[in-house]
Amino acid sequence: MEHAMPTGGRSDREAIAEFMIAHEAALRRRIGAAVRGSPGVDADDVFSTTLRRVDGAAARGTFRMRSAPEAWCFVAQVVQRAVERHRRRAARMAEAVARLAPGARAWDEPDA
């Protein structure tokens, strides 16, 4: 059963923006739970990425605002991908820091 979300003359982009604003608190809770225990992953960064990607999909026409359940499903997929991407980036950064750490210690040592 589809719950129609009439746009009332608004674009899909405006409709999804209103959806995201109306559900911001729930979305932030979902993202917070998804990134909990992921060092180096910031929930605000994931939220921002999610907003950009959902807006981009609406702007390109690859996502249309037809129903709240469908929107939640789409947004949940975007959140999951954003969390995974941010986790991979944090892991790469941690690896880079670990590789550079021995060299950094050499710079801290006084000249003999």
Side-chain angles (χ1 to χ4, degrees):
M1 178 173 156
E2 186 170 306
H3 303 284
M5 299 279 297
T7 60
R10 295 171 297 150
S11 70
D12 282 317
R13 195 170 179 191
E14 291 169 322
I16 193 66
E18 288 177 12
F19 176 85
M20 298 296 282
I21 290 167
H23 297 90
E24 179 180 352
L27 183 56
R28 285 186 179 276
R29 282 192 303 274
R30 173 175 263 176
I31 290 169
V35 302
R36 196 166 294 120
S38 299
V41 178
D42 182 67
D44 289 332
D45 288 345
V46 174
F47 180 74
S48 177
T49 297
T50 300
L51 291 179
R52 282 192 315 275
R53 297 203 183 276
V54 169
D55 179 59
R60 288 186 306 278
T62 57
F63 176 73
R64 297 192 51 128
M65 188 70 191
R66 291 185 289 247
S67 71
E70 183 180 5
W72 269 116
C73 183
F74 177 74
V75 171
Q77 291 173 354
V78 173
V79 166
Q80 184 60 36
R81 288 183 193 128
V83 168
E84 290 169 3
R85 183 173 290 115
H86 282 264
R87 282 182 180 152
R88 285 192 304 268
R89 187 177 67 201
R92 284 192 310 269
M93 183 65 78
E95 289 171 12
V97 168
R99 280 193 310 270
L100 295 174
R105 282 188 218 120
W107 284 69
D108 291 337
E109 295 174 6
D111 292 335

